[in-house]
Amino acid sequence: GIVIVSADTPALQERVYRLRYDVYCVAHEFEDPALQIAGYEQDKYDDYSVHSLLLDNQTGKEVGSVRLILPNDDVSLPAYTVSPEVERQADILFPRGTTAEASRFLRAPHVSIGRQRFAAYETMALMAAVTKMSAEQGITHVVALVTAPLVRLVSRFGISFKLIGDPIEFHGLRQAVLLDLTADLSVVAAQRPDFWRILTASGLYYNPLRP
């Protein structure tokens, strides 16, 4: 199984940044390793983010990680810069003050885990981590820049991202999407209660039945 751990200590954050380096600078060349220091992948948004680390509960090895960039006035959210349409829809489609951005949504390289892996299960665990962090931070909506395969994959869980604007070029073709946590997870609760239990820790987060 997979355990979601809040990376809220320097040691756990170091594991997140090293995993991101392995994925984004070595495995996929998403970022330039020459611009990173000592095998870490970090950027200006990390100081305004909360992070989750997914660990294999048998081996303790890293399975994946994701961060939630919180609303702020200093560096803002990268989606606002990358997608002008997201910026235009702020305070129309979603409230700027309680909208965060999910990013650095990644699964560890295959060789590092040492067991059979299931992309759908690990992706669901990452989405559960986003839900958990959002609830803990009082977030109502999440934006993200994602690939078309990820949109299709999460739709299998009953999650229907709202598409914002047309696909844009950003390290490959990306789609800006919006998740309304209360409304969209209520739909999952009604249609796919098995997935809803995983995504919300059995209703601990965004429970439509709770007043």
Side-chain angles (χ1 to χ4, degrees):
I2 294 174
V3 179
I4 299 171
V5 177
S6 297
D8 53 6
T9 68
L12 288 169
Q13 287 168 11
E14 177 179 325
R15 293 176 71 177
V16 167
Y17 299 146
R18 287 190 180 279
L19 176 60
R20 281 169 31 181
Y21 185 88
D22 289 344
V23 171
Y24 287 125
C25 297
V26 178
H28 297 299
E29 299 182 354
F30 185 88
E31 298 289 350
D32 183 354
L35 301 178
Q36 306 297 332
I37 300 172
Y40 292 10
E41 193 279 311
Q42 293 176 268
D43 64 21
K44 64 183 180 180
Y45 299 104
D46 286 316
D47 288 340
Y48 301 88
S49 302
V50 287
H51 307 264
S52 287
L53 192 61
L54 269 55
L55 301 179
D56 184 290
N57 67 353
Q58 291 184 330
T59 65
K61 289 184 176 179
E62 295 87 355
V63 176
S65 71
V66 61
R67 72 178 174 189
L68 196 68
I69 307 170
L70 301 175
N72 68 86
D73 295 326
D74 295 327
V75 297
S76 192
L77 302 182
Y80 293 147
T81 302
V82 175
S83 171
E85 188 60 25
V86 173
E87 174 69 36
R88 278 193 289 269
Q89 294 297 335
D91 289 323
I92 300 172
L93 273 183
F94 54 87
R96 190 186 292 264
T98 56
T99 295
E101 180 169 348
S103 78
R104 295 301 192 260
F105 188 100
L106 64 91
R107 298 169 58 238
H110 258 289
V111 294
S112 63
I113 306 301
R115 61 160 173 78
Q116 187 177 10
R117 300 180 64 186
F118 301 94
Y121 180 66
E122 293 176 3
T123 300
M124 178 173 287
L126 287 166
M127 288 299 301
V130 170
T131 302
K132 177 177 183 290
M133 291 187 293
S134 297
E136 291 169 347
Q137 299 295 324
I139 295 300
T140 61
H141 295 70
V142 173
V143 295
L145 300 166
V146 301
T147 61
L150 182 62
V151 174
R152 291 194 295 270
L153 180 55
V154 300
S155 71
R156 291 166 51 189
F157 311 152
I159 298 173
S160 295
F161 285 141
K162 185 176 187 62
L163 308 185
I164 305 176
D166 295 324
I168 47 180
E169 177 61 35
F170 181 66
H171 299 285
L173 210 55
R174 307 270 160 174
Q175 174 68 56
V177 298
L178 174 68
L179 181 66
D180 179 332
L181 288 152
T182 301
D184 293 339
L185 290 174
S186 293
V187 173
V188 178
Q191 297 181 352
R192 298 301 304 264
D194 49 340
F195 291 153
W196 174 81
R197 283 192 289 272
I198 296 172
L199 292 167
T200 66
S202 295
L204 182 61
Y205 309 120
Y206 302 101
N207 188 340
L209 304 179
R210 187 188 300 162

